[in-house]
């Protein structure tokens, strides 16, 4: 009797009576092999399956049963009347299905069974509520840790490596049981029926672990049965053919008895086929139809994956509209993993023409949904959808219209490279792929590649989606790389002279961009911006890149001079062509006997420099000339000769024009163009031998004295003088530098910096910005960081900015960077972005001076006080500057933060004193303090000392007297800066409780020294608010269950119904009663599993003292998926 009471006192809060009954029957069945004499009274007399394990039935069972049932808790009744319909299929199972019960039973109940073993084997020992022993080593194999009873963790929900292998092995076991018994036991009407009934019942359980595990087992069993049914169908067809062949023979030639044997075999196969179809239909309707819209996404994804497997394996039975509709409906699922399984299942169906031909109705119904999923929020799903549409192009191309294809094409320009590559393949198959019978790849230079380039140009021009061909080339590189690398065909199209074959101007521009993009990609350049970080090629890939560069050079080096000559007047076409030289293997000019082509290319470069003045084309020509003057190049002398000619020509012209006292319009244009060409060439080539520093500084001095020099001359003059100084610095050795050379360079640098400083007040924006950037660069190069270590020999050249220069630099930022007028421009979007880029460049130049200790950290306060107002434009730059200051000195960083707030407060007091608290700008100051407080992070411990110092200095600033002493005009007698305490209170939540008490004491002492009212009784709101912010925070209180917030008892009641059917009799729903004041909740709504709330309710005392009403059948299922709206 003690054993009975112990077993019946076990409670499983997370199980309803059906699942608890299974547990109660698993315990005696499992332990009956060892202790049959103790387990026999638990065996039910109506189920003979127990007799092999319990040889005899106790005659006392009938007498014990009336005493046994009342001992059970209300929600743990082993022989409840609702459980009786489920018992026959459970106990109709035999020993072969025991492996199927191992995973679920061991993972859920073995810890409980082993915990019961001690009192069962020692019945004489008293039963005490002592803790359970540690888990058995055998249990640890399946449950490394025993989760709490109300936990949602179970083997199939864990994603670690061992449990993923366990899941795969579990499915393999189920499949093996069905396949190993396909020839005998599977058709005995005993194993398969009982197993199907058990899995169907468990798959409708409200317990997620049971439902998920049973669904997995049922789906794997169904997959195995589909394979068995397919084998039966093939055997039946073969047997029927043999039967027809045998029956077609003449009677003398027939084998005796063979016709009867074949007919009997055919009948048996037909019966087995019908039995398999009946079982598969039962599993499909009993498990799949309910679980494909389960509340658990993994269960839904499992159902969709297996459904696709069935359709591909046995299309004769499953490739029907009645089954395909589930795939179409689930394409609208909210979880990306479920949609992904559906799309992959459809890929397998559309991959074969015979199966795709049977899906016309499905294609017409769900094609619009598939095309719209190209823009799916899950990138993996979008990629698989594009792959599916690509497969459909091969099998059901007529199903996709031109409008459908045009909805997929824009994906080739997206930033996600996998999606862009898949869309590129779709574009290639639908529009660019050659339409001929053979599948042979077209050879380079063939007519097919010319057609390919013409089709590609048409698409690129008509799309009007993007201005960069690099994204299009990157998308097509994997599928059409061979055609894109056919530079002979592309070059031939560009040089085409026949009117009927020549390209239009727009087509030529597009083809030049595509040609240059493919050349850069072949030369090893990574994907374009936004398509991922550049990847370093492996050794094998580097060899391939070298071969491609050599082939590129051999293809384009002979025709490059002709291309430059043809497009020399068009900057948009010649600029990208000049960039191709950087992709060449330049040694090919020597090894391939192309010296004449090199001379022609250099002549074209010289002509382009003399013809154009645009910065883009001049920069590309300068870089190309620098590549041809590389010291490692064997033919570098020819490039240096062209550079000398350009230097002589431009230098002499510059000297002649700048010596003139005045310039007319033509001379002014010539001088401006000459200086622009020199400034661009100076960036990549050393032009100091031509002595351009003196005429440029004379021009700047004349502008500073008279202001009559046009601005278009000043910007290139500043650039030329700046590069002259930098080239002289680069030629200085780190040691043994002649003193005369240092003094000469020092004089040049000092005079040039003075001229640039005078240009900071110039009215032209270009001159002012160029002078600002040049000054910042020189201060950075010749500042403390540039003249330390290896540059110690340049210490005499060190530049230290004086107070006037610092104030002028800060004034430029205030007037032209943090100016609302500049920010709120009415220009076009592109012009506004360019203006924003220039202003960000100015701010970055100033912040670099702070980071590299050219300016003291306190100068960052001039920038930091605009952090909140201009956060969208410059927030990243200011944040990085603060991070660098913090890494250098944490205390100085806190002083900069406080100083910026103090400066803003002082400016407000100067404008709105004394009623500063009522102006909107004071709210902006508080917002700035709140945003700056976020820099201290969620953990106050690392910033403890910094925060204390900030608060103390802030208190001292707020309580100081005004500039005239006293209250600064406040009739209440409050200090002038007292509102600053409201700003300081934004940093109080970051303080630790001991620091709050310390600051409270410090605040009281400070008020006492100044003769002020104590903070807790202060009539001044800022002081009172700051005092409240320093009070220790109240401990969080647990939410109490009230009439308004109550949503049901905890733990939730578990009805004995399935998870998909609501068996509610007609009439009003059952009402739950709550202890306390009368309140009625009509019915439980659908909710998630809230384990934390359940634990809180249990800690409070278990909720209601009343027992729940007996009408459990009418409670809504907490895991009912029919009301979740999973379907679209």
């Amino acid at each position: 009797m003690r054993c009975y009471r112990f077993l019946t006192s076990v409670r499983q809060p997370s199980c309803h009576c059906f699942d608890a009954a299974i547990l109660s029957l698993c315990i005696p069945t499992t332990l009956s092999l060892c202790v049959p004499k103790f387990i026999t009274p638990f065996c039910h007399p109506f189920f003979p399956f127990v007799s092999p394990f319990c040889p005899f039935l106790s005659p006392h069972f009938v007498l014990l049963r009336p005493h046994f049932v009342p001992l059970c808790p209300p929600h743990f009744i082993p022989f409840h009347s609702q459980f009786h319909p489920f018992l026959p299929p459970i106990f109709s199972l035999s020993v072969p299905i025991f492996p199927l019960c191992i995973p679920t039973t061991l993972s859920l109940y073995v810890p409980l069974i082993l915990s019961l073993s001690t009192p069962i084997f020692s019945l004489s020992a008293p039963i005490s509520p002592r803790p359970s022993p540690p888990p058995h080593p055998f249990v640890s194999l399946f449950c490394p840790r025993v989760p709490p009873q109300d936990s949602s963790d179970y083997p199939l929900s864990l994603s670690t490596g061992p449990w993923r292998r366990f899941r795969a092995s579990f499915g393999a076991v189920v499949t093996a049981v069905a396949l190993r018994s396909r020839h005998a036991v599977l058709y005995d009407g005993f194993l398969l029926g009982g197993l199907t009934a058990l899995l169907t019942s468990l798959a409708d359980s409200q317990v997620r672990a049971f439902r998920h595990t049973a669904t997995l087992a049922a789906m794997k069993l169904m997959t195995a049965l589909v394979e068995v049914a397919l084998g039966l169908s093939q055997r039946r067809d073969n047997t029927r053919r043999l039967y027809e062949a045998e029956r077609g023979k003449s009677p003398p030639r027939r084998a005796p008895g063979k016709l009867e044997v074949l007919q009997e075999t055919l009948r048996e196969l037909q019966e087995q086929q019908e039995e398999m179809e009946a079982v598969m239909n039962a599993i499909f309707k009993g498990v799949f139809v309910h679980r494909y819209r389960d509340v658990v996404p993994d269960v839904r994804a499992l159902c969709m994956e297996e459904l696709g497997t069935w359709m591909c394996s046995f299309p004769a039975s499953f490739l029907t509209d009645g089954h395909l509709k589930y795939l179409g409906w689930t394409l609208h699922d909210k979880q990306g993993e479920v949609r992904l399984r559906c799309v992959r299942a459809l890929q397998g169906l559309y991959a074969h023409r015979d199966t795709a031909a049977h899906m016309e109705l499905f294609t017409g119904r769900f094609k619009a949904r598939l095309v719209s999923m190209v823009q799916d929020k899950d990138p993996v799903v979008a990629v698989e959808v594009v792959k599916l549409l690509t497969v459909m192009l091969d099998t059901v191309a007529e199903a996709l219209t031109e409008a459908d294809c045009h909805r997929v094409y824009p994906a080739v320009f997206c930033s996600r490279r996998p999606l862009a590559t898949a869309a590129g393949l779709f574009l290639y198959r639908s529009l660019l792929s050659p339409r001929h019978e053979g599948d042979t790849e077209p050879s380079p230079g063939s007519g097919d590649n010319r057609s390919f380039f013409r089709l590609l140009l048409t698409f690129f021009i008509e799309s009007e989606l993007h201005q960069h061909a690099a994204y299009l080339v990157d998308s097509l590189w994997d599928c059409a790389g061979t055609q894109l690398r056919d530079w002979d065909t592309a070059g031939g199209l560009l040089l085409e002279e026949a009117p009927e074959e020549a390209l239009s101007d727009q087509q030529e521009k597009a083809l030049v961009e595509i040609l240059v993009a493919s050349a850069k990609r072949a030369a090893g350049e990574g994907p374009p911006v936004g398509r991922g970080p550049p990847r370093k090629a492996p050794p094998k890939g580097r060899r391939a890149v070298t071969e491609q560069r050599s082939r590129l050079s051999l293809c384009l080096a002979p025709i490059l001079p002709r291309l430059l000559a043809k497009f020399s007047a068009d900057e948009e076409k010649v600029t990208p062509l000049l960039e191709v030289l950087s992709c060449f293997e330049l040694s090919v000019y020597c090894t391939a006997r192309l010296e004449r082509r090199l001379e022609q290319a250099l002549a074209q470069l010289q002509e382009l420099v003399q013809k154009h003045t645009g910065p883009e084309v001049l920069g590309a020509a300068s870089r190309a000339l620098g590549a041809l003057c590389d010291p490692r190049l064997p033919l570098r002398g020819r490039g240096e000769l062209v550079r000398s000619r350009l230097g002589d020509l431009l230098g002499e012209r510059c000297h002649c024009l700048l010596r003139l006292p005045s310039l007319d319009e033509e001379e002014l244009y010539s001088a401006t163009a000459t200086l622009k060409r020199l400034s661009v060439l100076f960036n990549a080539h050393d032009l100091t031998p031509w002595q351009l520093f003196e005429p440029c500084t004379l021009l700047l001095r004349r502008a500073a004295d008279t202001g009559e020099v046009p601005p278009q001359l000043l910007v290139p003059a500043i650039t030329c003088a700046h590069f002259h100084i930098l080239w002289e610095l680069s030629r200085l050795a780190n040691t043994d530098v002649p003193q005369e050379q240092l003094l000469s360079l020092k004089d040049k640098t000092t005079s040039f910096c003075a001229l640039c400083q005078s240009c900071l007040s110039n009215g032209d924006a270009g001159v002012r910005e160029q002078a600002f950037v040049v000054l910042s660069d020189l201060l950075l190069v010749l500042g403390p960081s540039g003249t330390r270590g290896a540059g110690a020999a340049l210490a005499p050249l060190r530049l230290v900015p004086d107070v006037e220069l610092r104030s002028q630099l800060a004034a430029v930022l205030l007037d032209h960077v943090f100016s609302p007028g500049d920010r709120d421009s009415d220009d076009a979007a592109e012009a506004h972005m360019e203006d924003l880029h220039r202003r960000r460049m100015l701010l970055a130049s100033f912040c670099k001076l702070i980071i590299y200790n050219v300016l003291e950290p306190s100068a960052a306060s001039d920038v930091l006080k605009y952090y909140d107002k201009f956060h969208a434009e410059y927030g990243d730059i200011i944040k990085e500057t603060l991070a660098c200051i913090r890494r250098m000195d944490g205390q100085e960083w806190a002083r900069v933060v406080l100083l910026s707030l103090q400066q803003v407060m002082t400016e407000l007091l100067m404008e709105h004193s004394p009623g500063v608290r009522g102006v909107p700008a004071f709210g902006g100051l508080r917002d700035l303090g709140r945003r700056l407080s976020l820099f201290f992070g969620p953990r106050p411990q690392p910033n403890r000392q910094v925060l204390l110092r900030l608060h103390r200095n802030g208190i001292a600033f707020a309580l100081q007297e005004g500039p005239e002493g006293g209250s600064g005009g406040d009739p209440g007698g409050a200090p002038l800066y007292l509102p600053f305490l409201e700003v300081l209170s934004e940093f109080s939540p970051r303080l630790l409780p001991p620091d709050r008490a310390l600051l409270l004491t410090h605040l009281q002492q400070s008020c006492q020294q100044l003769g002020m009212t104590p903070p807790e009784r202060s009539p001044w709101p800022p002081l009172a608010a700051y005092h409240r912010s320093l009070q220790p925070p109240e401990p969080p209180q647990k939410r109490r269950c009230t009439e308004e917030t109550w949503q049901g008892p905890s733990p939730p009641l578990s009805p004995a119904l399935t998870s998909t059917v609501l068996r509610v009799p007609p009439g009003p729903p059952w009402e739950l009663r709550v202890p306390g004041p009368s309140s009625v909740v009509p019915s439980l709504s659908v909710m998630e599993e809230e384990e934390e709330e359940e634990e809180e309710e249990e800690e409070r005392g278990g909720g209601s003292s009343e027992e729940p009403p007996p009408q459990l059948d009418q409670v809504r299922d907490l895991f009912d998926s029919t009301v979740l709206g999973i379907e679209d």
Side-chain angles (χ1 to χ4, degrees):
M1 183 62 68
R2 191 180 308 160
C3 178
Y4 302 158
R5 292 179 180 177
F6 180 83
L7 291 176
T8 56
S9 64
V10 179
R11 301 187 61 179
Q12 292 289 331
S14 62
C15 305
H16 55 68
C17 64
F18 167 51
D19 305 315
I22 296 177
L23 171 63
S24 65
L25 292 172
C26 287
I27 294 175
T29 304
T30 306
L31 299 180
S32 60
L33 296 174
C34 302
V35 284
K37 60 180 181 179
F38 299 114
I39 302 303
T40 300
F42 288 92
C43 299
H44 202 282
F46 301 107
F47 304 105
F49 171 70
V50 187
S51 59
F53 297 93
C54 302
F56 59 93
L57 295 175
S58 173
H60 303 288
F61 178 81
V62 180
L63 299 177
L64 291 176
R65 184 176 178 182
H67 304 283
F68 175 74
V69 175
L71 295 176
C72 302
H75 59 279
F76 185 84
I77 305 176
F79 300 107
H80 195 275
S81 59
Q82 296 179 0
F83 181 55
H84 286 174
F86 301 101
L87 289 177
I90 295 176
F91 283 98
S92 63
L93 302 177
S94 57
V95 177
I97 71 163
F98 182 70
L100 300 178
C101 303
I102 290 178
T104 304
T105 306
L106 290 183
S107 61
L108 296 174
Y109 296 132
V110 165
L112 176 63
I113 295 173
L114 293 181
S115 65
L116 298 177
S117 59
T118 301
I120 288 179
F121 289 122
S122 56
L123 297 178
S124 59
I127 299 177
S128 59
R130 58 187 177 185
S132 301
H136 195 273
F138 179 70
V139 182
S140 302
L141 177 63
F142 294 92
C143 287
R145 58 180 182 86
V146 181
Q149 294 178 355
D150 57 350
S151 174
S152 62
D153 291 340
Y154 54 95
L156 298 186
S157 68
L158 303 177
S159 59
T160 56
W163 291 113
R164 287 198 300 268
R165 292 190 294 271
F166 168 78
R167 176 173 180 164
S169 301
F170 177 45
V173 167
V174 177
T175 305
V177 169
L179 295 180
R180 293 293 180 87
S181 57
R182 65 165 67 184
H183 300 295
V185 185
L186 201 61
Y187 310 107
D188 61 356
F190 184 70
L191 169 64
L192 199 56
L195 182 58
T196 303
L198 173 64
L199 295 179
T200 304
S201 301
L202 288 178
D204 257 355
S205 172
Q206 291 181 354
V207 181
R208 180 173 299 182
F210 288 170
R211 190 170 70 250
H212 192 175
T213 306
T215 303
L216 175 61
M219 295 298 101
K220 294 299 181 181
L221 177 62
M222 181 75 165
T223 303
L225 294 180
V226 167
E227 185 177 349
V228 173
L230 180 62
L232 290 174
S233 178
Q234 295 174 352
R235 289 175 56 195
R236 185 187 60 183
D237 295 340
N238 295 336
T239 305
R240 181 179 289 109
R241 285 194 296 269
L242 292 175
Y243 176 77
E244 295 295 337
E246 188 68 24
R247 192 176 62 175
K249 296 179 181 179
S250 58
R253 298 183 59 186
R254 292 177 184 173
K258 186 176 181 179
L259 197 63
E260 290 77 7
V261 173
L262 290 175
Q263 188 175 7
E264 180 65 21
T265 303
L266 188 62
R267 185 186 61 80
E268 292 180 359
L269 291 175
Q270 182 68 27
E271 293 178 356
Q272 293 176 357
Q273 180 75 18
E274 293 176 355
E275 183 180 355
M276 286 295 101
E277 291 179 355
V279 174
M280 289 190 299
N281 188 41
I283 295 178
F284 186 84
K285 293 183 177 180
V287 180
F288 178 86
V289 171
H290 298 296
R291 299 279 67 80
Y292 87 95
R293 54 181 182 177
D294 194 272
V295 69
V296 183
D298 290 342
V299 176
R300 303 198 300 270
L302 171 65
C303 293
M304 292 300 106
E305 182 181 11
E306 297 303 324
L307 178 61
T309 304
W310 307 337
M311 290 180 177
C312 293
S313 301
F314 200 3
S317 295
F318 289 95
L319 194 60
T320 62
D321 296 335
H323 294 87
L324 285 170
K325 65 181 181 181
Y326 296 106
L327 286 176
W329 291 344
T330 319
L331 289 174
H332 299 268
D333 196 274
K334 297 179 181 179
Q335 295 294 327
E337 183 64 25
V338 183
R339 299 194 301 273
L340 180 63
R341 301 291 179 88
C342 293
V343 173
R344 287 177 175 171
L346 291 174
Q347 288 177 359
L349 296 175
Y350 279 106
H352 305 282
R353 294 183 182 274
D354 51 350
T355 57
H358 294 81
M359 300 176 64
E360 296 180 359
L361 183 60
F362 175 86
T363 305
R365 170 66 179 82
F366 295 102
K367 181 187 66 174
R369 171 59 182 166
L370 290 174
V371 174
S372 66
M373 289 178 69
V374 175
Q375 301 178 357
D376 196 277
K377 64 180 181 180
D378 191 336
V380 181
V381 176
V383 172
E384 295 299 326
V385 168
V386 176
K387 292 181 180 179
L388 171 60
L389 295 176
T390 306
V391 172
M392 293 175 65
L393 283 176
D394 298 334
T395 55
V396 287
E398 65 280 356
L400 294 177
T401 63
E402 186 177 356
D404 297 331
C405 295
H406 280 285
R407 296 183 63 183
V408 184
Y409 292 157
V412 298
F413 296 103
C414 72
S415 59
R416 294 192 292 266
R417 193 174 188 277
L419 178 58
T421 303
L425 179 60
F426 180 87
L427 173 65
Y428 178 74
R429 294 281 182 85
S430 62
L431 188 63
L432 308 177
S433 179
R435 301 290 181 177
H436 49 75
E437 296 181 359
D439 293 331
T440 58
E441 189 175 351
S443 59
S446 63
D448 288 333
N449 281 346
R450 296 176 69 90
S451 302
F452 167 82
F453 279 110
R454 290 185 181 275
L455 291 172
L456 182 60
L457 290 176
T458 303
F459 167 77
F460 183 57
I461 294 172
E462 293 180 354
S463 62
E464 298 181 355
L465 295 173
H466 212 282
Q467 297 180 356
H468 299 286
Y471 293 88
L472 178 61
V473 171
D474 182 67
S475 301
L476 294 171
W477 192 255
D478 294 340
C479 59
T482 304
Q483 289 87 338
L484 290 172
R485 289 191 293 270
D486 189 2
W487 297 296
D488 292 328
T489 301
L493 286 173
L494 289 174
L495 295 174
E496 187 67 52
E497 299 294 341
E500 62 277 2
E501 296 291 337
L503 302 176
S504 64
D505 181 72
Q506 195 175 10
Q507 287 178 330
E508 288 177 346
K509 178 185 174 183
L511 184 55
V512 166
E513 294 179 359
I514 293 174
L515 173 65
V516 174
S518 62
K520 290 182 178 179
R521 187 60 191 271
E525 186 174 318
V529 179
R531 290 273 177 94
R535 297 183 297 270
K536 190 175 182 180
K540 184 177 181 181
R542 287 195 289 270
R543 288 194 297 270
V545 168
T546 304
E547 295 175 359
Q548 291 181 1
R549 286 172 66 100
S550 301
R551 180 175 168 270
L552 170 68
S553 304
L554 291 174
C555 291
L556 294 183
I559 64 174
L560 182 60
R562 297 171 58 191
L563 292 174
L564 293 177
K566 181 178 180 179
F567 303 117
S568 61
D570 194 337
E571 291 188 5
E572 294 183 351
K573 298 174 185 176
V574 76
T575 301
L577 286 175
L578 289 172
E579 297 177 356
V580 176
L581 270 172
S582 62
C583 306
F584 282 1
E585 189 69 36
L586 295 177
S587 60
V588 77
Y589 281 109
C590 181
T591 58
R593 306 295 182 124
L594 297 175
E595 293 87 353
R596 184 180 176 185
R597 302 299 184 185
L598 176 60
E599 292 178 356
Q600 294 175 353
L602 288 171
Q604 291 297 326
L605 278 177
Q606 183 177 353
E607 183 181 351
L608 289 173
V609 172
Q610 296 176 5
K611 182 183 296 186
H612 294 278
T613 59
E616 292 82 8
V617 63
L618 288 177
S622 176
R623 291 189 294 271
L625 183 58
L628 294 175
C629 296
D630 190 354
R632 296 170 296 181
L633 188 64
L635 301 176
R636 63 182 180 276
R638 305 191 183 190
E640 293 174 354
L641 178 61
V642 173
R643 182 173 61 186
S644 300
R645 291 174 182 174
L646 286 173
D648 293 338
L649 178 63
L650 298 177
E652 183 179 356
R653 186 182 303 173
C654 179
H655 282 284
C656 294
L657 291 173
L658 295 184
R659 289 196 191 100
L660 298 177
S662 62
L663 300 175
D664 57 14
E665 185 176 354
E666 184 178 354
E667 292 172 344
L668 176 61
Y669 176 80
S670 179
T672 303
T674 302
L675 282 176
K676 285 183 178 179
R677 296 184 182 106
L678 287 171
S679 64
V680 175
L681 288 175
F682 233 142
N683 190 12
H685 305 273
D686 185 7
L687 302 182
T688 53
W690 284 269
Q691 299 297 324
L692 299 174
F693 182 80
E694 292 299 332
C696 292
T697 52
L698 288 175
L699 187 65
L700 294 176
R701 187 170 291 108
R702 187 191 311 173
D705 295 340
T706 63
E708 297 178 354
V709 180
Q712 58 266 30
L713 280 177
L714 294 179
V715 174
I718 293 174
T719 305
C720 288
H722 173 57
F723 282 126
H724 185 96
I725 293 176
L726 293 181
W727 278 109
E728 285 196 5
L729 282 174
S730 66
R731 290 203 310 267
L732 292 179
N734 293 330
T735 58
D736 299 333
V737 181
Q739 193 68 22
E740 296 80 6
Q741 191 175 0
L742 284 178
L743 292 177
S744 175
L745 187 56
K746 176 69 173 179
D747 294 339
K748 290 181 180 180
T749 304
T750 305
S751 61
F752 177 67
C753 288
L755 293 174
C756 290
Q757 185 175 351
S758 64
C759 292
L760 291 177
S761 57
N762 194 285
D764 185 75
V767 176
R768 185 175 54 247
E769 292 174 1
Q770 187 67 19
F772 189 96
V773 173
V774 166
L775 267 177
S776 302
D777 291 346
L778 284 178
L779 289 174
L780 190 64
V781 172
L782 299 176
S785 300
T787 55
R788 284 201 303 261
L794 303 179
L797 301 178
R798 177 178 298 181
L799 291 178
V800 179
D802 54 7
V803 178
E804 183 180 0
L805 179 57
R806 298 174 189 174
S807 61
Q808 283 186 331
L809 293 175
V812 171
L813 293 182
L814 177 62
D815 297 336
H816 306 287
V817 175
F818 298 111
S819 174
D822 292 342
R823 183 180 62 164
D824 301 334
S825 177
D826 296 333
D827 299 335
E830 185 176 356
H832 177 69
M833 292 301 298
E834 292 179 358
D835 181 64
L836 177 61
H837 175 70
R838 289 194 301 267
R839 290 187 279 116
R840 285 174 59 88
M841 183 176 61
L842 295 178
L843 179 60
S845 300
F846 183 82
C847 291
K848 284 191 295 185
L849 298 178
I850 300 173
I851 294 173
Y852 290 98
N853 293 323
V854 178
L855 299 178
E856 61 275 5
S858 60
S861 61
D862 297 329
V863 175
L864 189 56
K865 58 186 178 182
Y866 298 102
Y867 179 61
D868 182 66
K869 187 177 181 180
F870 292 87
H871 183 267
E873 291 85 351
Y874 318 118
D876 55 340
I877 300 176
I878 301 176
K879 186 175 181 180
E880 184 63 27
T881 304
L882 277 180
C884 293
I885 298 175
R886 185 176 186 176
R887 287 192 292 268
M888 291 187 296
D889 189 352
Q891 296 291 342
E892 187 65 29
W893 165 70
R895 282 193 292 269
V896 170
V897 171
L898 183 62
L899 179 60
S900 62
L901 296 174
Q902 292 173 352
Q903 289 178 356
V904 179
M905 185 68 193
T906 304
E907 294 173 2
L908 290 178
L909 289 174
M910 293 176 63
E911 296 178 5
H912 306 283
S913 179
V916 67
R917 297 180 63 248
V919 299
F922 185 76
L925 176 59
R926 294 198 59 174
D927 293 339
L928 175 61
R930 186 179 302 110
R931 192 178 289 273
L932 291 178
S933 67
L934 299 178
F935 284 102
F936 290 90
R939 296 184 301 169
Q941 189 63 38
N943 305 313
R944 184 176 182 181
Q945 298 298 328
V946 174
L947 276 171
L948 278 175
R949 187 179 295 274
L950 184 144
H951 276 271
R952 288 177 176 174
N953 295 339
I955 292 172
F957 174 78
L959 299 182
Q960 67 178 336
E961 297 181 354
E964 300 178 358
S967 62
D970 193 340
L976 181 63
Y977 299 98
L978 190 65
F980 186 75
L981 290 178
E982 293 190 21
V983 182
L984 197 61
S985 64
E986 302 293 343
F987 296 85
S988 298
R990 308 291 174 179
L991 292 168
L992 291 172
D995 298 338
R996 292 172 182 260
L998 187 62
L999 287 175
L1000 277 175
T1001 304
H1002 176 71
L1003 180 63
Q1004 293 174 355
Q1005 292 176 357
S1006 301
C1007 293
Q1008 184 179 3
Q1009 292 176 1
L1010 296 176
M1012 299 169 57
T1013 307
E1016 61 272 10
R1017 293 184 286 106
S1018 175
W1020 300 322
L1023 184 58
Y1026 182 65
H1027 181 268
R1028 287 194 302 269
S1029 69
L1030 294 179
Q1031 297 295 328
E1034 297 181 359
Q1037 297 181 358
K1038 294 184 178 181
R1039 182 169 55 89
R1040 294 296 178 182
C1041 185
T1042 61
E1043 298 181 21
E1044 294 79 11
T1045 62
W1046 186 86
Q1047 296 183 357
S1050 181
L1053 298 175
S1054 299
L1057 300 178
T1058 66
S1059 63
T1060 56
V1061 181
L1062 183 63
R1063 301 171 183 172
V1064 182
W1070 175 64
E1071 297 178 347
L1072 294 177
R1073 290 181 295 167
V1074 193
S1078 60
S1079 62
V1080 176
V1081 178
S1083 63
L1084 292 178
S1085 59
V1086 180
M1087 63 183 70
E1088 297 288 335
E1089 295 177 337
E1090 301 179 353
E1091 290 85 1
E1092 296 180 359
E1093 293 186 5
E1094 295 177 7
E1095 293 175 1
E1096 291 179 5
E1097 292 289 341
E1098 291 176 359
E1099 292 175 359
R1100 295 174 194 153
S1104 173
S1105 60
E1106 302 178 2
E1107 293 186 1
Q1111 294 90 343
L1112 292 177
D1113 295 18
Q1114 304 175 14
V1115 182
R1116 185 179 295 273
D1117 178 17
L1118 301 183
F1119 299 93
D1120 190 355
S1121 62
T1122 59
V1123 295
L1124 293 179
I1126 295 174
E1127 300 175 2
D1128 187 53

